[in-house]
Amino acid sequence: MERLNKIRSLDELLREAERCRNCLLWNERTNLVFGEGNPNAVIMFVGEAPGFHEDQQGRPFVGAAGKLLTELIESLGLKREDVYIANVLKCRPPNNRDPLPEEINACYPFLKKQIEIISPQILCALGRHAAYVLLGHTVNMNTSHGKYYQVDGRLVFVTYHPAAALYHGKLLDGIKKDFIELKKLYDDVIQQKEEQNKKGEREQLSFW
Ligand code: URA
């Protein structure tokens, strides 16, 4: 999508996404679910696609899975407003079916641009579809969850999809443990940022 190259803000990108006809899902949606949160977030969560409630409200993760995600975000010592939340697909697939490869390809430029504009240090992939898109290859969730990978200068942390965790009790335990690891990673990133800021301030002072 050449047109996205010139875009510099989330507002412009949202307007472009509203006009998108790159797959057929726009035709069936109630609302586009672009994403929401802190445009300067250090951590960005990426889910699969809007479900019924998200489609109704035009906001990501507002149903039962969203309630769990909000609790998990709070377990990091953060509020929902501190992070950014988006999905691989911006329109709801009928009956919540899995995204089709052509829908993922059609929507990916919007996620890519969102990531570029927000520029979070950590991307948290919620489930296998997000992990596939953010890592660039299919993953075995059983072996990849709770781990992070370096991709294009960012850290991609992989965990289960909250809806899957609500469905399978074993995964609920797993996702909670993963968020303990994610908190360590987040705290490390914040500490590094603070050290870099202090170093920058010292260099500035010695320059004057
Ligand atoms: N599941 C998702 O993957 N995304 C949402 O926004 C809601 C449920």
Side-chain angles (χ1 to χ4, degrees), residues 33 46-52 54 59-63 65-66 85-89 126 161-163:
V33 181
V46 180
E48 182 179 316
F52 174 81
E54 291 75 21
R59 296 180 55 210
F61 282 99
V62 288
I85 306 175
N87 282 303
V88 172
L89 296 191
L126 302 166
H161 192 286

PDB file of all heavy atoms in Angstrom, residues 33 46-52 54 59-63 65-66 85-89 126 161-163, ligand 1:
ATOM      1  N   VAL A  33     -12.347  -1.534  13.860  1.00  0.00           N
ATOM      2  CA  VAL A  33     -11.701  -1.540  15.188  1.00  0.00           C
ATOM      3  C   VAL A  33     -10.215  -1.280  14.946  1.00  0.00           C
ATOM      4  O   VAL A  33      -9.431  -2.210  14.724  1.00  0.00           O
ATOM      5  CB  VAL A  33     -11.946  -2.869  15.934  1.00  0.00           C
ATOM      6  CG1 VAL A  33     -11.281  -2.836  17.305  1.00  0.00           C
ATOM      7  CG2 VAL A  33     -13.443  -3.123  16.082  1.00  0.00           C
ATOM      8  N   VAL A  46      -1.022  -6.973  20.562  1.00  0.00           N
ATOM      9  CA  VAL A  46      -1.650  -7.246  19.268  1.00  0.00           C
ATOM     10  C   VAL A  46      -2.452  -8.544  19.359  1.00  0.00           C
ATOM     11  O   VAL A  46      -1.904  -9.611  19.629  1.00  0.00           O
ATOM     12  CB  VAL A  46      -0.592  -7.351  18.138  1.00  0.00           C
ATOM     13  CG1 VAL A  46      -1.262  -7.629  16.805  1.00  0.00           C
ATOM     14  CG2 VAL A  46       0.241  -6.069  18.064  1.00  0.00           C
ATOM     15  N   GLY A  47      -3.766  -8.410  19.183  1.00  0.00           N
ATOM     16  CA  GLY A  47      -4.652  -9.570  19.187  1.00  0.00           C
ATOM     17  C   GLY A  47      -4.918 -10.059  17.774  1.00  0.00           C
ATOM     18  O   GLY A  47      -4.205  -9.699  16.831  1.00  0.00           O
ATOM     19  N   GLU A  48      -5.976 -10.837  17.629  1.00  0.00           N
ATOM     20  CA  GLU A  48      -6.259 -11.478  16.341  1.00  0.00           C
ATOM     21  C   GLU A  48      -7.182 -10.610  15.467  1.00  0.00           C
ATOM     22  O   GLU A  48      -6.770 -10.119  14.417  1.00  0.00           O
ATOM     23  CB  GLU A  48      -6.899 -12.835  16.662  1.00  0.00           C
ATOM     24  CG  GLU A  48      -7.229 -13.682  15.474  1.00  0.00           C
ATOM     25  CD  GLU A  48      -7.845 -15.009  15.928  1.00  0.00           C
ATOM     26  OE1 GLU A  48      -7.335 -15.626  16.885  1.00  0.00           O
ATOM     27  OE2 GLU A  48      -8.840 -15.416  15.321  1.00  0.00           O
ATOM     28  N   ALA A  49      -8.399 -10.429  15.947  1.00  0.00           N
ATOM     29  CA  ALA A  49      -9.402  -9.694  15.161  1.00  0.00           C
ATOM     30  C   ALA A  49     -10.544  -9.315  16.094  1.00  0.00           C
ATOM     31  O   ALA A  49     -10.753  -9.974  17.111  1.00  0.00           O
ATOM     32  CB  ALA A  49      -9.926 -10.579  14.028  1.00  0.00           C
ATOM     33  N   PRO A  50     -11.310  -8.287  15.731  1.00  0.00           N
ATOM     34  CA  PRO A  50     -12.441  -7.913  16.583  1.00  0.00           C
ATOM     35  C   PRO A  50     -13.456  -9.056  16.672  1.00  0.00           C
ATOM     36  O   PRO A  50     -13.672  -9.776  15.698  1.00  0.00           O
ATOM     37  CB  PRO A  50     -13.060  -6.718  15.844  1.00  0.00           C
ATOM     38  CG  PRO A  50     -12.062  -6.272  14.850  1.00  0.00           C
ATOM     39  CD  PRO A  50     -11.181  -7.426  14.541  1.00  0.00           C
ATOM     40  N   GLY A  51     -14.078  -9.195  17.834  1.00  0.00           N
ATOM     41  CA  GLY A  51     -15.202 -10.118  17.993  1.00  0.00           C
ATOM     42  C   GLY A  51     -16.500  -9.320  17.985  1.00  0.00           C
ATOM     43  O   GLY A  51     -16.514  -8.147  17.588  1.00  0.00           O
ATOM     44  N   PHE A  52     -17.576  -9.927  18.452  1.00  0.00           N
ATOM     45  CA  PHE A  52     -18.901  -9.297  18.408  1.00  0.00           C
ATOM     46  C   PHE A  52     -18.913  -7.934  19.118  1.00  0.00           C
ATOM     47  O   PHE A  52     -19.330  -6.935  18.540  1.00  0.00           O
ATOM     48  CB  PHE A  52     -19.945 -10.239  19.040  1.00  0.00           C
ATOM     49  CG  PHE A  52     -21.297  -9.607  19.156  1.00  0.00           C
ATOM     50  CD1 PHE A  52     -22.150  -9.553  18.054  1.00  0.00           C
ATOM     51  CD2 PHE A  52     -21.725  -9.038  20.350  1.00  0.00           C
ATOM     52  CE1 PHE A  52     -23.396  -8.944  18.155  1.00  0.00           C
ATOM     53  CE2 PHE A  52     -22.968  -8.423  20.457  1.00  0.00           C
ATOM     54  CZ  PHE A  52     -23.807  -8.380  19.364  1.00  0.00           C
ATOM     55  N   GLU A  54     -16.475  -6.011  20.141  1.00  0.00           N
ATOM     56  CA  GLU A  54     -15.524  -5.040  19.584  1.00  0.00           C
ATOM     57  C   GLU A  54     -16.112  -4.399  18.322  1.00  0.00           C
ATOM     58  O   GLU A  54     -16.027  -3.192  18.112  1.00  0.00           O
ATOM     59  CB  GLU A  54     -14.187  -5.731  19.266  1.00  0.00           C
ATOM     60  CG  GLU A  54     -13.396  -6.163  20.481  1.00  0.00           C
ATOM     61  CD  GLU A  54     -13.933  -7.409  21.186  1.00  0.00           C
ATOM     62  OE1 GLU A  54     -14.671  -8.176  20.527  1.00  0.00           O
ATOM     63  OE2 GLU A  54     -13.626  -7.607  22.378  1.00  0.00           O
ATOM     64  N   ARG A  59     -14.096  -0.757  19.447  1.00  0.00           N
ATOM     65  CA  ARG A  59     -12.915  -0.718  20.336  1.00  0.00           C
ATOM     66  C   ARG A  59     -12.365  -2.133  20.519  1.00  0.00           C
ATOM     67  O   ARG A  59     -13.142  -3.091  20.572  1.00  0.00           O
ATOM     68  CB  ARG A  59     -13.303  -0.161  21.709  1.00  0.00           C
ATOM     69  CG  ARG A  59     -13.786   1.270  21.694  1.00  0.00           C
ATOM     70  CD  ARG A  59     -14.138   1.713  23.112  1.00  0.00           C
ATOM     71  NE  ARG A  59     -13.012   1.514  24.008  1.00  0.00           N
ATOM     72  CZ  ARG A  59     -13.136   1.251  25.318  1.00  0.00           C
ATOM     73  NH1 ARG A  59     -14.315   1.149  25.870  1.00  0.00           N
ATOM     74  NH2 ARG A  59     -12.068   1.073  26.062  1.00  0.00           N
ATOM     75  N   PRO A  60     -11.029  -2.259  20.641  1.00  0.00           N
ATOM     76  CA  PRO A  60     -10.449  -3.599  20.790  1.00  0.00           C
ATOM     77  C   PRO A  60     -10.634  -4.150  22.206  1.00  0.00           C
ATOM     78  O   PRO A  60     -10.650  -3.377  23.179  1.00  0.00           O
ATOM     79  CB  PRO A  60      -8.961  -3.369  20.512  1.00  0.00           C
ATOM     80  CG  PRO A  60      -8.720  -1.955  20.937  1.00  0.00           C
ATOM     81  CD  PRO A  60      -9.991  -1.205  20.644  1.00  0.00           C
ATOM     82  N   PHE A  61     -10.755  -5.440  22.306  1.00  0.00           N
ATOM     83  CA  PHE A  61     -10.759  -6.149  23.598  1.00  0.00           C
ATOM     84  C   PHE A  61     -11.678  -5.514  24.642  1.00  0.00           C
ATOM     85  O   PHE A  61     -11.221  -5.054  25.687  1.00  0.00           O
ATOM     86  CB  PHE A  61      -9.315  -6.259  24.125  1.00  0.00           C
ATOM     87  CG  PHE A  61      -8.539  -7.354  23.431  1.00  0.00           C
ATOM     88  CD1 PHE A  61      -7.676  -7.060  22.385  1.00  0.00           C
ATOM     89  CD2 PHE A  61      -8.680  -8.689  23.814  1.00  0.00           C
ATOM     90  CE1 PHE A  61      -6.974  -8.071  21.731  1.00  0.00           C
ATOM     91  CE2 PHE A  61      -7.979  -9.702  23.166  1.00  0.00           C
ATOM     92  CZ  PHE A  61      -7.123  -9.396  22.134  1.00  0.00           C
ATOM     93  N   VAL A  62     -12.966  -5.497  24.335  1.00  0.00           N
ATOM     94  CA  VAL A  62     -13.937  -4.966  25.299  1.00  0.00           C
ATOM     95  C   VAL A  62     -14.886  -6.052  25.824  1.00  0.00           C
ATOM     96  O   VAL A  62     -15.708  -5.786  26.687  1.00  0.00           O
ATOM     97  CB  VAL A  62     -14.765  -3.784  24.717  1.00  0.00           C
ATOM     98  CG1 VAL A  62     -13.917  -2.543  24.579  1.00  0.00           C
ATOM     99  CG2 VAL A  62     -15.400  -4.163  23.383  1.00  0.00           C
ATOM    100  N   GLY A  63     -14.771  -7.282  25.310  1.00  0.00           N
ATOM    101  CA  GLY A  63     -15.615  -8.381  25.792  1.00  0.00           C
ATOM    102  C   GLY A  63     -14.930  -9.131  26.926  1.00  0.00           C
ATOM    103  O   GLY A  63     -14.091  -8.561  27.650  1.00  0.00           O
ATOM    104  N   ALA A  65     -12.710 -11.545  26.873  1.00  0.00           N
ATOM    105  CA  ALA A  65     -11.246 -11.644  26.692  1.00  0.00           C
ATOM    106  C   ALA A  65     -10.588 -10.311  27.043  1.00  0.00           C
ATOM    107  O   ALA A  65      -9.478 -10.272  27.584  1.00  0.00           O
ATOM    108  CB  ALA A  65     -10.916 -12.046  25.256  1.00  0.00           C
ATOM    109  N   GLY A  66     -11.291  -9.223  26.754  1.00  0.00           N
ATOM    110  CA  GLY A  66     -10.781  -7.890  27.063  1.00  0.00           C
ATOM    111  C   GLY A  66     -10.684  -7.653  28.561  1.00  0.00           C
ATOM    112  O   GLY A  66      -9.750  -6.996  29.034  1.00  0.00           O
ATOM    113  N   ILE A  85      -3.372  -1.001  22.257  1.00  0.00           N
ATOM    114  CA  ILE A  85      -3.983  -2.303  21.956  1.00  0.00           C
ATOM    115  C   ILE A  85      -4.546  -2.279  20.532  1.00  0.00           C
ATOM    116  O   ILE A  85      -5.323  -1.386  20.178  1.00  0.00           O
ATOM    117  CB  ILE A  85      -5.126  -2.633  22.950  1.00  0.00           C
ATOM    118  CG1 ILE A  85      -4.633  -2.529  24.397  1.00  0.00           C
ATOM    119  CG2 ILE A  85      -5.695  -4.028  22.675  1.00  0.00           C
ATOM    120  CD1 ILE A  85      -5.731  -2.713  25.452  1.00  0.00           C
ATOM    121  N   ALA A  86      -4.123  -3.258  19.736  1.00  0.00           N
ATOM    122  CA  ALA A  86      -4.622  -3.347  18.357  1.00  0.00           C
ATOM    123  C   ALA A  86      -4.792  -4.818  17.993  1.00  0.00           C
ATOM    124  O   ALA A  86      -4.550  -5.710  18.815  1.00  0.00           O
ATOM    125  CB  ALA A  86      -3.651  -2.662  17.409  1.00  0.00           C
ATOM    126  N   ASN A  87      -5.207  -5.048  16.773  1.00  0.00           N
ATOM    127  CA  ASN A  87      -5.400  -6.413  16.278  1.00  0.00           C
ATOM    128  C   ASN A  87      -4.732  -6.584  14.923  1.00  0.00           C
ATOM    129  O   ASN A  87      -4.471  -5.597  14.234  1.00  0.00           O
ATOM    130  CB  ASN A  87      -6.897  -6.693  16.108  1.00  0.00           C
ATOM    131  CG  ASN A  87      -7.581  -6.985  17.425  1.00  0.00           C
ATOM    132  OD1 ASN A  87      -7.200  -7.896  18.147  1.00  0.00           O
ATOM    133  ND2 ASN A  87      -8.604  -6.200  17.740  1.00  0.00           N
ATOM    134  N   VAL A  88      -4.549  -7.846  14.543  1.00  0.00           N
ATOM    135  CA  VAL A  88      -4.029  -8.127  13.197  1.00  0.00           C
ATOM    136  C   VAL A  88      -5.063  -7.667  12.162  1.00  0.00           C
ATOM    137  O   VAL A  88      -4.721  -6.973  11.211  1.00  0.00           O
ATOM    138  CB  VAL A  88      -3.736  -9.644  13.029  1.00  0.00           C
ATOM    139  CG1 VAL A  88      -3.389  -9.965  11.588  1.00  0.00           C
ATOM    140  CG2 VAL A  88      -2.620 -10.076  13.979  1.00  0.00           C
ATOM    141  N   LEU A  89      -6.320  -8.025  12.369  1.00  0.00           N
ATOM    142  CA  LEU A  89      -7.393  -7.567  11.465  1.00  0.00           C
ATOM    143  C   LEU A  89      -8.167  -6.434  12.133  1.00  0.00           C
ATOM    144  O   LEU A  89      -8.431  -6.485  13.335  1.00  0.00           O
ATOM    145  CB  LEU A  89      -8.377  -8.689  11.140  1.00  0.00           C
ATOM    146  CG  LEU A  89      -7.874  -9.901  10.381  1.00  0.00           C
ATOM    147  CD1 LEU A  89      -9.072 -10.749   9.931  1.00  0.00           C
ATOM    148  CD2 LEU A  89      -7.023  -9.540   9.180  1.00  0.00           C
ATOM    149  N   LEU A 126      -0.597 -11.680  21.100  1.00  0.00           N
ATOM    150  CA  LEU A 126      -1.605 -12.454  21.828  1.00  0.00           C
ATOM    151  C   LEU A 126      -2.132 -13.546  20.899  1.00  0.00           C
ATOM    152  O   LEU A 126      -2.991 -13.302  20.054  1.00  0.00           O
ATOM    153  CB  LEU A 126      -2.742 -11.535  22.282  1.00  0.00           C
ATOM    154  CG  LEU A 126      -2.336 -10.361  23.173  1.00  0.00           C
ATOM    155  CD1 LEU A 126      -3.460  -9.332  23.279  1.00  0.00           C
ATOM    156  CD2 LEU A 126      -1.945 -10.867  24.567  1.00  0.00           C
ATOM    157  N   HIS A 161      -3.594 -16.298  23.445  1.00  0.00           N
ATOM    158  CA  HIS A 161      -4.694 -15.369  23.274  1.00  0.00           C
ATOM    159  C   HIS A 161      -5.578 -15.428  24.531  1.00  0.00           C
ATOM    160  O   HIS A 161      -5.883 -16.528  24.996  1.00  0.00           O
ATOM    161  CB  HIS A 161      -5.506 -15.729  22.033  1.00  0.00           C
ATOM    162  CG  HIS A 161      -6.452 -14.642  21.660  1.00  0.00           C
ATOM    163  ND1 HIS A 161      -7.596 -14.393  22.377  1.00  0.00           N
ATOM    164  CD2 HIS A 161      -6.384 -13.707  20.697  1.00  0.00           C
ATOM    165  CE1 HIS A 161      -8.213 -13.348  21.844  1.00  0.00           C
ATOM    166  NE2 HIS A 161      -7.499 -12.919  20.828  1.00  0.00           N
ATOM    167  N   PRO A 162      -5.973 -14.267  25.097  1.00  0.00           N
ATOM    168  CA  PRO A 162      -6.799 -14.298  26.313  1.00  0.00           C
ATOM    169  C   PRO A 162      -8.079 -15.129  26.158  1.00  0.00           C
ATOM    170  O   PRO A 162      -8.512 -15.773  27.119  1.00  0.00           O
ATOM    171  CB  PRO A 162      -7.133 -12.828  26.566  1.00  0.00           C
ATOM    172  CG  PRO A 162      -6.073 -12.065  25.861  1.00  0.00           C
ATOM    173  CD  PRO A 162      -5.628 -12.894  24.698  1.00  0.00           C
ATOM    174  N   ALA A 163      -8.676 -15.134  24.950  1.00  0.00           N
ATOM    175  CA  ALA A 163      -9.908 -15.923  24.766  1.00  0.00           C
ATOM    176  C   ALA A 163      -9.595 -17.418  24.887  1.00  0.00           C
ATOM    177  O   ALA A 163     -10.374 -18.184  25.471  1.00  0.00           O
ATOM    178  CB  ALA A 163     -10.534 -15.611  23.413  1.00  0.00           C
TER     179      ALA A 163
HETATM  180  N1  URA B   1     -10.123 -11.001  20.372  1.00  0.00           N
HETATM  181  C1  URA B   1      -9.177 -10.368  19.667  1.00  0.00           C
HETATM  182  O1  URA B   1      -8.261 -10.964  19.130  1.00  0.00           O
HETATM  183  N2  URA B   1      -9.252  -9.049  19.574  1.00  0.00           N
HETATM  184  C2  URA B   1     -10.199  -8.344  20.151  1.00  0.00           C
HETATM  185  O2  URA B   1     -10.189  -7.119  20.019  1.00  0.00           O
HETATM  186  C3  URA B   1     -11.163  -9.030  20.899  1.00  0.00           C
HETATM  187  C4  URA B   1     -11.110 -10.359  20.994  1.00  0.00           C
END
